């Protein structure tokens, strides 16, 4: 009762955050001094490389980031340089120094994202181990500017020392149940970078449609997409997504979920799915992938060879969830195979048989894999470096699952409490924010196996019309939980900073929904 009353009163009783302190997600360490700051001028300010930097002009990741963040600083937030009467010195240049060479590669799970940012009238310097860390520092720098009463924009004297708590901070988008235009995906990647999220989990195909345009099996999209011309992702589209993500320090992990969730595969690959039976005759309905045919594994070998070449990340998400055994049980050929293999009527063993062969195929292409938790629950033999993705939504069930997976020695990702496609009246970002990924019984060694988590946006009721406001700023609550220190828990402080961040997203052209009553200096329809 009191907690609910507090949340209703938050906008009425809290002051605005201290100027220059409303960074989202909260850095590991931020010290701010109102004395010794400087003001911003669009005509005088620029980004540059420090002499000590191992990378310099020609590094596409930073060259493009400099241009992008200059636009965000001076155009999206309308910083009119020097229009006020401030006598504070001008901020003229932020120097960036990167310790490690390398601008042409892709971020990986092991990439450092650490950075240190120093802002004062005497010096503005951003140092980082890698270009990926420098991107995180540039985002923080862009959020430090604040507008005075005279209309001039300022930077306080600030020191930030920052690094992520978890290595994997992801967002899943489902592009099968509703096709998301390329523009919507690219905008989502932009906002992920604003939140320091670093993994785009592309759940690209599922039962309703197969929008991925395969070169080796073109009929998959030609016959399985909603429209084979307008509702597909071409090879060029996929490259665009991967490069757009790379330039923002975001990994792209594709998911091709089997043996279930494959209805859309059937028309393009006759014979792949299991014929279901009604009595002694086929019913005309098809179930999951048929696991007893050699041709099934020939198809998977060719498809995943292509997928492994198209998507550069080391990991592929192989799904493995929600397999309905009804069709397999009805099929006499599968029943015969079950008896031959000694599986009896335990169809989890048949599922495990399929998954094991698929994992061997993917491993042969020197790829790692992520699987949904059912693969672990059904005791499939997997490699020690397998990542298990915990998703089941039963109240209170996921801590027990996290404990079991980590006790078995596997790394784990958490999504169960972060299904953002579910909405409720009120400030439902709070439930996501309160989650603690390590709140389960286990040793320190087990806790170290939690590599992060993902917010999920499933597409049954989501397309480009409502994707952005449903995601943002709610996904920001997940982003802060995965980036910031475990001690960052204050709802009052989070509310102030997230509301401020939401207003900033509006200035950047993002349709982010409000947290509660209130207003922004620049409302979306006034831009």
């Amino acid at each position: 009762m009191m907690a609910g009353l507090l949340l209703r009163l938050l906008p009425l009783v809290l002051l605005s955050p201290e100027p220059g302190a409303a960074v989202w997600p909260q850095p590991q360490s931020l010290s701010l001094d109102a004395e010794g700051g400087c003001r911003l001028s669009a005509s005088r300010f620029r980004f540059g490389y420090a002499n000590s930097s191992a990378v310099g002009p020609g590094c596409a990741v930073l060259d493009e980031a400099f241009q992008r963040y200059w636009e965000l600083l001076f155009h999206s937030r309308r910083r009119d340089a020097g229009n006020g009467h401030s006598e504070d010195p001008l901020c003229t240049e932020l120097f960036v120094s990167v310790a490690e060479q390398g601008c042409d590669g892709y971020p990986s799970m092991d990439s450092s994202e650490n950075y240190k940012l120093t802002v004062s009238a005497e010096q503005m310097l951003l140092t980082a181990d890698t270009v990926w860390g420098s991107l995180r520092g540039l985002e923080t720098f862009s959020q430090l500017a604040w507008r005075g009463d005279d209309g001039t924009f300022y930077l306080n004297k600030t020191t930030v020392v920052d690094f992520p708590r978890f290595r994997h901070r992801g967002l899943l988008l489902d592009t099968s149940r509703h096709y998301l235009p390329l523009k919507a995906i690219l905008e989502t990647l932009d906002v992920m970078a604003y939140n320091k999220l670093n993994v785009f989990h592309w759940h690209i195909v599922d039962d309703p449609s197969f929008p991925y345009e395969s070169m080796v099996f073109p009929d998959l999209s030609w016959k399985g997409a909603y429209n084979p011309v307008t509702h597909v992702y071409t090879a060029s589209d996929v490259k665009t997504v991967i490069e757009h993500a790379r330039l923002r320090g975001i990994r792209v992990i594709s998911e091709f979920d089997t043996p279930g969730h494959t209805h859309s595969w059937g028309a393009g690959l006759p014979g792949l799915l299991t014929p279901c039976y009604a009595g002694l005759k086929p019913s005309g309905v098809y179930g999951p992938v048929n696991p007893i045919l050699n041709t099934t594994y020939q198809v998977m070998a060719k498809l995943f060879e292509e997928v492994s070449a198209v998507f550069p990340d080391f990991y592929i998400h192989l799904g493995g969830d929600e397999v309905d055994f009804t069709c397999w049980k009805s099929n006499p050929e599968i029943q015969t195979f079950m008896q031959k293999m000694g599986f009896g009527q335990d169809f989890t063993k048949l599922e495990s048989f399929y998954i094991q062969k698929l994992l061997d195929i993917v491993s042969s292409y020197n790829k790692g894999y992520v699987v949904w938790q059912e693969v672990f629950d059904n005791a499939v033999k997997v490699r020690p470096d397998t990542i298990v993705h915990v998703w089941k939504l039963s109240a209170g069930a996921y801590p027990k699952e996290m404990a079991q997976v980590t006790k078995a020695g596997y790394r784990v990702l958490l999504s169960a409490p972060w299904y953002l496609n579910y909405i409720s009246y009120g400030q439902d970002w709070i439930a996501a924010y309160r989650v603690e990924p390590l709140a389960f019984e286990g040793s320190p060694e087990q806790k170290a196996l939690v590599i992060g988590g993902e917010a999920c946006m499933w597409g049954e009721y989501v397309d480009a019309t409502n994707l952005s406001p449903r995601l943002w700023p709610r996904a920001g609550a997940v982003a802060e939980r995965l980036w910031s220190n475990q001690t960052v828990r204050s709802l009052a402080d989070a509310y102030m900073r997230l509301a401020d961040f939401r207003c900033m997203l509006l200035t950047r052209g993002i349709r982010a929904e409000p947290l509660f009553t209130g207003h922004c200096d620049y409302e979306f329809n006034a831009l």
Side-chain angles (χ1 to χ4, degrees):
M1 178 79 174
M2 288 300 295
L5 178 60
L6 171 64
L7 296 178
R8 289 196 296 273
L9 293 179
L10 274 174
L12 304 178
V13 300
L14 295 179
L15 300 176
S16 297
E18 185 176 359
V23 178
W24 193 274
Q26 176 89 298
Q28 300 293 335
S29 172
L30 185 153
S31 61
L32 185 149
D33 187 347
E35 302 295 329
C38 51
R39 57 192 169 94
L40 281 168
S41 166
S43 62
R44 298 286 299 277
F45 177 81
R46 72 184 186 96
F47 295 99
Y49 294 92
N51 292 333
S52 59
S53 180
V55 301
C59 172
V61 172
L62 285 182
D63 288 349
E64 294 197 24
F66 290 167
Q67 180 178 351
R68 191 165 65 247
Y69 278 103
W70 194 96
E71 294 285 334
L72 290 174
L73 278 167
F74 295 109
H75 285 178
S76 71
R77 294 179 74 165
R78 304 177 184 181
R79 289 184 170 80
D80 302 315
N83 283 351
H85 303 288
S86 172
E87 296 181 358
D88 288 334
L90 283 170
C91 317
T92 57
E93 186 166 20
L94 174 67
F95 290 100
V96 177
S97 179
V98 179
E100 298 178 12
Q101 294 182 347
C103 283
D104 299 326
Y106 294 88
S108 71
M109 184 182 296
D110 297 324
S111 296
S112 169
E113 295 175 282
N114 301 8
Y115 69 92
K116 180 178 180 180
L117 176 62
T118 303
V119 175
S120 71
E122 293 76 31
Q123 181 190 49
M124 293 203 299
L125 178 64
L126 170 61
T127 60
D129 295 337
T130 66
V131 291
W132 319 120
S134 65
L135 292 176
R136 307 301 172 232
L138 288 170
E139 176 56 40
T140 295
F141 178 79
S142 75
Q143 295 185 30
L144 292 176
W146 56 278
R147 188 176 68 172
D149 293 337
D150 60 0
T152 303
F153 280 84
Y154 296 90
L155 291 166
N156 287 333
K157 182 177 181 180
T158 310
T159 301
V160 178
V161 178
D162 204 9
F163 52 88
R165 182 184 175 199
F166 293 103
R167 292 178 287 168
H168 185 121
R169 307 177 309 281
L171 173 64
L172 176 150
L173 289 187
D174 169 11
T175 58
S176 172
R177 290 171 175 87
H178 281 100
Y179 175 82
L180 295 175
L182 183 62
K183 181 180 178 181
I185 295 176
L186 299 184
E187 180 183 275
T188 301
L189 290 169
D190 290 342
V191 194
M192 287 178 64
Y194 303 156
N195 285 269
K196 297 186 175 71
L197 293 169
N198 69 345
V199 179
F200 171 41
H201 176 172
W202 195 352
H203 187 88
I204 194 167
V205 300
D206 207 298
D207 280 326
S209 73
F210 196 106
Y212 171 76
E213 194 173 73
S214 169
M215 297 296 102
V216 292
F217 296 114
D219 276 355
L220 279 170
S221 61
W222 188 252
K223 296 180 180 179
Y226 287 130
N227 184 302
V229 177
T230 61
H231 286 60
V232 295
Y233 302 106
T234 65
S236 176
D237 292 336
V238 172
K239 287 180 180 179
T240 296
V241 168
I242 292 171
E243 181 63 5
H244 196 87
R246 184 185 81 89
L247 292 174
R248 288 151 183 80
I250 297 171
R251 301 161 53 205
V252 179
I253 295 180
S254 61
E255 180 181 355
F256 290 81
D257 190 359
T258 65
H261 292 278
T262 49
H263 181 75
S264 65
W265 303 46
L269 288 173
L272 179 68
L273 303 185
T274 303
C276 306
Y277 275 67
L280 299 177
K281 295 182 179 180
S283 65
V285 175
Y286 291 86
V289 164
N290 193 331
I292 70 172
L293 302 178
N294 290 335
T295 53
T296 292
Y297 303 102
Q298 293 168 4
V299 165
M300 294 302 166
K302 289 182 179 179
L303 178 64
F304 281 99
E305 181 180 23
E306 175 185 6
V307 169
S308 298
V310 168
F311 292 91
D313 199 83
F314 178 67
Y315 288 97
I316 300 174
H317 203 302
L318 297 178
D321 63 313
E322 296 183 317
V323 181
D324 185 349
F325 297 147
T326 305
C327 185
W328 283 352
K329 290 179 180 178
S330 75
N331 186 294
E333 293 182 357
I334 287 184
Q335 286 281 2
T336 299
F337 182 84
M338 292 278 290
Q339 297 306 313
K340 177 182 176 182
M341 297 297 294
F343 294 163
Q345 291 298 306
D346 187 352
F347 284 86
T348 64
K349 292 182 178 179
L350 181 60
E351 179 188 10
S352 297
F353 173 84
Y354 168 82
I355 293 288
Q356 183 61 64
K357 293 178 77 69
L358 179 63
L359 299 184
D360 290 343
I361 289 170
V362 173
S363 297
S364 72
Y365 300 125
N366 296 314
K367 288 286 189 177
Y369 41 76
V370 186
V371 293
W372 294 113
Q373 69 180 73
E374 285 94 325
V375 174
F376 169 81
D377 294 343
N378 293 338
V380 177
K381 183 181 178 181
V382 296
R383 293 192 323 201
D385 63 350
T386 299
I387 297 172
V388 178
H389 199 162
V390 173
W391 73 272
K392 288 195 173 181
L393 307 179
S394 302
Y398 70 85
K400 182 178 179 182
E401 184 79 12
M402 301 278 282
Q404 292 173 342
V405 172
T406 55
K407 186 176 182 179
Y410 296 110
R411 290 174 296 171
V412 64
L413 290 172
L414 178 63
S415 281
W418 291 324
Y419 270 42
L420 300 184
N421 45 295
Y422 289 98
I423 57 177
S424 61
Y425 190 78
Q427 299 190 47
D428 60 352
W429 67 274
I430 293 172
Y433 191 78
R434 282 177 163 160
V435 171
E436 171 45 54
L438 302 187
F440 61 89
E441 293 185 6
S443 67
E445 291 76 17
Q446 286 179 251
K447 305 293 178 76
L449 291 171
V450 180
I451 60 173
E454 293 182 355
C456 296
M457 184 56 70
W458 297 100
E460 287 89 345
Y461 305 100
V462 177
D463 65 7
T465 65
N466 63 343
L467 172 67
S468 188
R470 188 167 290 196
L471 267 179
W472 313 112
R474 296 163 72 232
V478 183
E480 178 151 296
R481 183 56 52 235
L482 294 173
W483 177 279
S484 303
N485 192 281
Q486 185 175 355
T487 60
V488 177
R489 311 294 301 184
S490 168
L491 286 178
D493 176 72
Y495 180 92
M496 290 190 297
R497 289 184 295 106
L498 189 56
D500 186 82
F501 181 68
R502 181 256 173 178
C503 289
M504 187 201 72
L505 291 181
L506 296 188
T507 70
R508 295 182 177 187
I510 307 304
R511 292 180 179 270
E513 70 177 16
L515 298 183
F516 194 52
T517 58
H519 80 288
C520 296
D521 289 341
Y522 299 116
E523 297 293 352
F524 189 88
N525 62 3
L527 298 178

